[in-house]
Amino acid sequence: LKLVYLSNRHLQHEVYWRNMTPPLEHALSSISGVTVVAPPPLRRPTFRADRPAWLASIRAVRQADAVLWMQMHLRPPLPIWGLAYARPLTMRTMIVLDAWRQHLDNLALVVKRQHIRRCFVFYRQAADMLADRYPHLGFSWLPVCVDTGVFRDVGRPRDIDFFWIGRRDKALHEALLDYCAKRGLTYRYSMHEHDPPTREELGERAGADD
């Protein structure tokens, strides 16, 4: 079985992609028979320069027995979606990060119409709901793992009392701001999608000796 993993490393730069994709790609690339393909963006000014990369990506997919990719909820970026069908009869499998309740039925429709063989879902509750509603569509729960190389003791004194990275719940965020302000505590949270830029910096900020 030849598996091609379609990477979005050149297509999406939000913090969750930069922190979640490298460990997955590293693990997959160490398995015999697995090829990681990272297509370039579809950009008109640079498309001619990107042609070799595109041709290599297409050739890799056309030799695959199965393709796998990771996406947010309903569909991946267009380059990933297009490459997934470079060989029409290839078995297609996808991993879904944000299977929110309001997207579940539409996600099932996408899986059915696009002939997705297996759909792995990070949220346990969503995976169970999808499996119960659509038992014939191949939904499975994929537990999210932790990279112990990031959240580790780096020998620094603790200078953060509360730490929040990624998407925030507004009410809880405001409550934490108020709580910390009244008690002189340090609340560190991501300011925008490029904060922090790397897993290494995330580990430096979160790491402490006690």
Side-chain angles (χ1 to χ4, degrees):
L1 178 69
K2 293 181 180 180
L3 171 68
V4 167
Y5 175 73
L6 300 176
S7 167
N8 51 25
R9 74 174 76 137
H10 300 315
L11 307 173
Q12 294 178 294
H13 306 286
E14 295 84 355
V15 64
Y16 33 82
W17 293 113
R18 293 194 306 279
N19 289 331
M20 297 177 66
T21 302
L24 175 63
E25 292 184 9
H26 177 73
L28 288 173
S29 63
S30 66
I31 301 174
S32 176
V34 178
T35 301
V36 176
V37 173
L42 283 172
R43 297 175 298 192
R44 183 174 297 177
T46 60
F47 186 74
R48 183 182 296 274
D50 291 335
R51 282 186 64 185
W54 271 107
L55 292 174
S57 299
I58 292 170
R59 282 195 297 268
V61 172
R62 286 182 175 173
Q63 296 173 4
D65 301 304
V67 294
L68 168 68
W69 68 88
M70 185 162 58
Q71 63 184 49
M72 289 302 294
H73 47 271
L74 293 182
R75 61 184 61 86
L78 184 58
I80 298 291
W81 210 358
L83 277 177
Y85 294 88
R87 187 180 181 191
L89 297 181
T90 298
M91 181 173 67
R92 286 175 288 276
T93 305
M94 65 188 190
I95 303 170
V96 178
L97 272 69
D98 282 350
W100 299 111
R101 183 186 297 270
Q102 64 267 28
H103 298 308
L104 296 187
D105 292 329
N106 287 333
L107 176 60
L109 186 61
V110 168
V111 168
K112 180 179 180 179
R113 290 185 173 177
Q114 301 298 324
H115 304 287
I116 304 298
R117 181 70 64 87
R118 179 69 61 179
C119 180
F120 296 101
V121 180
F122 274 3
Y123 298 154
R124 177 65 180 270
Q125 185 178 23
D128 290 344
M129 293 175 67
L130 286 164
D132 289 341
R133 292 183 194 178
Y134 308 97
H136 58 292
L137 290 184
F139 287 103
S140 299
W141 176 47
L142 182 66
V144 180
C145 298
V146 61
D147 185 350
T148 56
V150 172
F151 294 99
R152 69 191 190 283
D153 181 357
V154 295
R156 290 173 49 190
R158 184 178 295 281
D159 57 357
I160 299 173
D161 299 294
F162 290 87
F163 186 59
W164 194 326
I165 183 67
R167 187 187 298 112
R168 292 189 300 276
D169 176 79
K170 182 178 180 181
L172 181 54
H173 174 59
E174 291 178 350
L176 282 171
L177 286 171
D178 181 66
Y179 182 89
C180 292
K182 291 178 178 178
R183 292 164 176 80
L185 301 175
T186 300
Y187 173 31
R188 177 72 173 86
Y189 52 91
S190 56
M191 302 297 293
H192 50 76
E193 64 180 14
H194 297 294
D195 176 25
T198 65
R199 293 184 304 125
E200 290 73 17
E201 184 173 333
L202 176 60
E204 286 293 321
R205 294 182 183 182
D209 57 4
D210 196 10

